[in-house]
Each structure stands twice: as structure tokens, then as C-alpha cells.
Amino acid sequence: MESGGMRNKLFYLFIVGLSLICMVGGLMIFPSGVYGASVSAGDAPGADGAAVRIAAPHGVLMEAATGKVIFEKEKDVEVSPASITKIMTLILIFDALEDGKITMTDEVTTSAHAKSMGGSQVFLEEGEKQMVETLIKCIVIASGNDASVAMAEHIGGSEEAFVEMMNQRAEELGMEHTHFVDCCGLTESKDHYSSAYDVALMSRELVTRYPKILEYSSIWMDTITHVTARGSSEFGLTNTNKLIRGYDGCIGLKTGSTSIAKYCVSAVAVRNDITLISVVMTAPDYKVRFRDAAAMLDHGFSRCSMYVDEHTEELKEIPVKKTVQGSVSCDFAETFYYLDTEGRPIKDIKKEIHMKKSLTAPVRAGDPAGEAVYLLDGEKVGSVKIVAAKDVPASGYLDYVRYICLHMVLRA
């Protein structure tokens, strides 16, 4: 009995020891808000070499202002994007709004084709009219497939024509691993695919070019009113992105899931004026996609600091030859952003202004006039172009005669 009891104790100690070894060797805990941590056998290095652990096979963490990739795991693998497809649909909707082709108050009529959409929907009836702004809410909050098709037909004339516009826009954004077949991601076609990096690219385009989308994607619950031949009724919209309520700073953007795509999310969060985009593709379940997205966001916010130069100083004018105007004012071409993930002292960044001695007319607004160079510890970390602020035409003989006559009169 004693010998058997000793063997049992030794076996018990062996099991406990083995468990501890497995825990130490196989688990790393990353804080991820209410969603805890993801555990995976396959860690992937971030762009800066740091380890981030996610369970999903594909992921990207990108900073929105600079487009810098902070972390990636199999970022270019082509997979089904499910409803994350709607990010491109929303880009084209806001393109049309910016170009004045549509307005937020335009009424959109639901077709039989739009009504027939399955999956996530807001149950639009054929012939039902809704305003553009209402349909945007239906798309981004409730992931309405019927609302997406209704808007695609309203802008493109047909869903097919709209999808051609989507693919063209994707090409313009450099989305090399993307091809769309429909506007909502409901299709099971193998010709409808994207990648984690491409999703991050189009997410960045949407939130930086059209930040108003974040007013809608951050809504947790809302209602719309259906007005049909059967009368009026309210329908509730609930955000499919649970990170809106479960992760500090999350303000969007889009989720997706089908049997082929599994579970995807493009999550946008803001802290300390830093906007991060966390994309998870092909997660095995919805809990994993949110945990992975939160883990990447935690990693990014713990490492990132941002230097922003909005160019408050006034630039000197540059002399312009072959014109009576004499000189031209200049502007910075854009705001300068520098994202640091290595803990460098960004407050020590120095700016040097290098201007051309002169320009020669004709000068067009936007023509190069110099550059601002940014240095940290003597190392160049970036630059911004300085450009002519307006057109300056070349002057002819009569222009000089008028110029001389005018100045003679003024002196008299």
C-alpha cells in the first residue's frame, strides 16, 4: 500500500510538473481588454520584429495616418472577405457624395434584386424608399446586404456595374490581392477574395479620407422606419462589431462571416491621437476574431508614439523669373507624420527648410519649390514637399510695358 501510494504521489508530481512546463513554454498572455488573450502555436513577428500572438491565420495592424504596418501575419494570402467587402462599397458611396452625384437626403428605391438578398439584412421591401444616410447606417451598423445592393444599384445603375467600379477603385489603392464579385460579400465564388493587408488599405482609405464614417460605425444601436404598402414599422439596428462596447477607443469599422470566410473584422481604435486599424481574417469563431483584433491593438498602443507637424510657420516667398509678379507664396504639401515604435525621443525631431533660390514662369500651383526635412539624432526620418501656392503666368512684352507704366503713375 505504501509503495502504491508513493507511486501515485510521484505520478501526480510528474503530471503537475509537465503541466507547468507546458504552460511556461506554450502560453504567453497579452492583455486585450474584456476579450482576454489569444493562444496560438504559431507566433508571427511584427514589422519591427516584436512578437504578437494571434490565433487567426491572417492579420495586419496598420497605423492610419502613415500607413505603416506594425504587425503582419500572412498578410497577402487571398481569402474570402465576407461582409468586410462592404468597406469598398462604403468608399464608393462616399466618393459619390464627395463628387456631388448623390446627397445624404436622396431617396433610394429598393429593387426586387436588392430585396432578395439573404444573410444579414434589414428587410427592405421591393419599392420601399429610404434616404442615403439611412442606408449607410444599415450597411455599417447592421451589415445589411439588401441595403448594400440598393445603394450599388442607385450609384452604378446595376450591381454588376458597381462591382466594376469597386475593382477599379481597389486597383487604384494598390490592392494587389483583391477581386470583387458582389458588393456585399455574400457570394461563395472563389473569384471574390481579398487579403488582410488589402482590407487594411481600403479601411485606411475610408477612415482617413471620409472620417464621417466613424460617426456611424461607432453607433451601438439605432432604429430605422420601414414605410411600405402595409404601413409603418420600426426596425432595430445593432452593431455587429462587439469591440465598440468591449474595447477602449474602438470606433469602428466592419465585421464579416460566412461558412467560407469564417470570421473577419477590421477594427479601428483611437487613443492619444493615434488611429490603429486591426484586421483579422479567417478566424475560427467570433470570439477569436475579437480577441486577436484587441491583442494587436494593445500591442500597437503600447509601442506607438506619433510626431505631427502641422506647419504653423509662414514660408517666405520665392522669386519668380520671367514674370512681372516677381514672386510666389509657398505652402507645405501635407501634414508631416512620423510614427515611432522603438521608444525614440520624438520630441527631439528637428526640421530643416530647404527652398529653391528661384522659379521660372510659368509656375503652376503645386509645382515643387523645396522641401522640409526632418531629422532625429542626425538621421533623416522623413520629408514633406514645399510647393507653389498659386499659378504665376509668364509675362510678355506688353505685360512689362503695362507694369512700367503703372509704376510710373504710382510714383508721380
Side-chain angles (χ1 to χ4, degrees):
M1 291 293 293
E2 290 180 2
S3 177
M6 180 63 69
R7 283 198 299 270
N8 288 339
K9 288 181 180 179
L10 289 173
F11 179 76
Y12 174 77
L13 289 172
F14 171 78
I15 294 298
V16 170
L18 182 63
S19 299
L20 289 172
I21 291 171
C22 290
M23 288 178 66
V24 173
L27 294 180
M28 294 177 66
I29 303 301
F30 288 84
S32 303
V34 300
Y35 288 98
S38 295
V39 178
S40 170
D43 293 344
D48 58 2
V52 182
R53 183 182 291 267
I54 66 172
H58 317 106
V60 163
L61 180 66
M62 177 183 286
E63 192 282 315
T66 62
K68 181 176 180 178
V69 173
I70 302 165
F71 163 81
E72 61 92 0
K73 179 181 179 182
E74 301 293 339
K75 69 181 180 68
D76 294 323
V77 175
E78 296 170 357
V79 295
S80 175
S83 284
I84 289 182
T85 298
K86 296 183 178 80
I87 295 172
M88 182 58 76
T89 299
L90 289 163
I91 289 174
L92 292 185
I93 291 171
F94 278 88
D95 283 348
L97 287 165
E98 184 180 59
D99 294 341
K101 295 177 180 177
I102 61 174
T103 70
M104 285 289 191
T105 56
D106 285 353
E107 287 191 330
V108 178
T109 303
T110 305
S111 70
H113 175 55
K115 178 190 182 303
S116 71
M117 293 297 107
S120 300
Q121 53 187 307
V122 294
F123 300 99
L124 299 171
E125 292 291 334
E126 183 180 355
E128 180 180 346
K129 295 181 179 180
Q130 293 286 357
M131 289 194 306
V132 167
E133 184 172 34
T134 301
L135 292 178
I136 289 174
K137 290 181 180 181
C138 292
I139 295 168
V140 73
I141 299 173
S143 196
N145 295 322
D146 45 1
S148 298
V149 174
M151 282 303 307
E153 293 175 334
H154 184 69
I155 294 171
S158 68
E159 185 181 7
E160 292 77 13
F162 187 83
V163 170
E164 289 182 13
M165 296 165 61
M166 293 171 67
N167 286 317
Q168 181 179 348
R169 195 71 161 83
E171 185 177 350
E172 292 170 358
L173 289 174
M175 296 168 61
E176 297 179 355
H177 299 281
T178 296
H179 184 265
F180 298 114
V181 170
D182 70 10
C183 69
C184 58
L186 189 60
T187 180
E188 294 186 349
S189 170
K190 292 182 179 179
D191 292 329
H192 188 93
Y193 54 83
S194 190
S195 68
Y197 179 68
D198 283 1
V199 170
L201 280 180
M202 66 177 177
S203 300
R204 181 191 180 214
E205 174 73 359
L206 181 59
V207 302
T208 57
R209 183 164 182 172
Y210 304 117
K212 187 173 179 63
I213 188 63
L214 299 172
E215 296 177 18
Y216 302 113
S217 66
S218 59
I219 296 172
W220 177 241
M221 299 184 74
D222 205 342
T223 58
I224 65 169
T225 302
H226 290 296
V227 179
T228 66
R230 292 179 294 180
S232 176
S233 62
E234 283 196 344
F235 181 81
L237 308 177
T238 302
N239 205 314
T240 57
N241 183 4
K242 307 309 178 187
L243 291 172
I244 295 296
R245 298 188 72 184
Y247 189 88
D248 181 27
C250 185
I251 51 177
L253 180 61
K254 193 73 196 70
T255 63
S257 64
T258 64
S259 58
I260 294 176
K262 297 184 181 178
Y263 292 85
C264 319
V265 65
S266 177
V268 177
V270 179
R271 292 183 188 173
N272 300 320
D273 297 323
I274 295 174
T275 302
L276 298 181
I277 300 167
S278 181
V279 178
V280 175
M281 306 286 282
T282 332
D285 61 57
Y286 75 93
K287 292 181 180 179
V288 169
R289 74 175 168 191
F290 291 137
R291 283 201 300 264
D292 283 355
M296 287 192 286
L297 290 170
D298 281 346
H299 172 77
F301 285 125
S302 69
R303 298 181 65 87
C304 291
S305 57
M306 181 76 76
Y307 175 89
V308 182
D309 183 13
E310 297 181 344
H311 312 299
T312 55
E313 74 272 35
E314 187 174 343
L315 293 169
K316 295 180 179 179
E317 293 192 352
I318 292 184
V320 180
K321 300 175 181 179
K322 297 186 178 181
T323 180
V324 295
Q325 293 191 20
S327 63
V328 66
S329 56
C330 297
D331 287 330
F332 295 94
E334 58 187 343
T335 300
F336 175 74
Y337 297 93
Y338 173 70
L339 181 71
D340 176 71
T341 59
E342 301 173 1
R344 301 179 72 183
I346 59 173
K347 61 181 180 60
D348 294 335
I349 288 178
K350 307 295 184 183
K351 177 167 67 173
E352 295 181 356
I353 302 294
H354 302 283
M355 302 286 286
K356 292 186 177 182
K357 292 182 178 180
S358 65
L359 299 175
T360 301
V363 174
R364 294 185 179 275
D367 281 353
E371 73 172 345
V373 177
Y374 297 84
L375 305 169
L376 180 57
D377 295 330
E379 174 191 349
K380 180 179 177 180
V381 293
S383 64
V384 168
K385 290 181 180 179
I386 295 172
V387 297
K390 60 182 181 180
D391 294 345
V392 179
S395 298
Y397 174 75
L398 291 178
D399 295 312
Y400 285 105
V401 171
R402 293 191 192 97
Y403 178 80
I404 293 170
C405 291
L406 177 61
H407 278 70
M408 289 177 67
V409 171
L410 292 174
R411 289 178 182 177

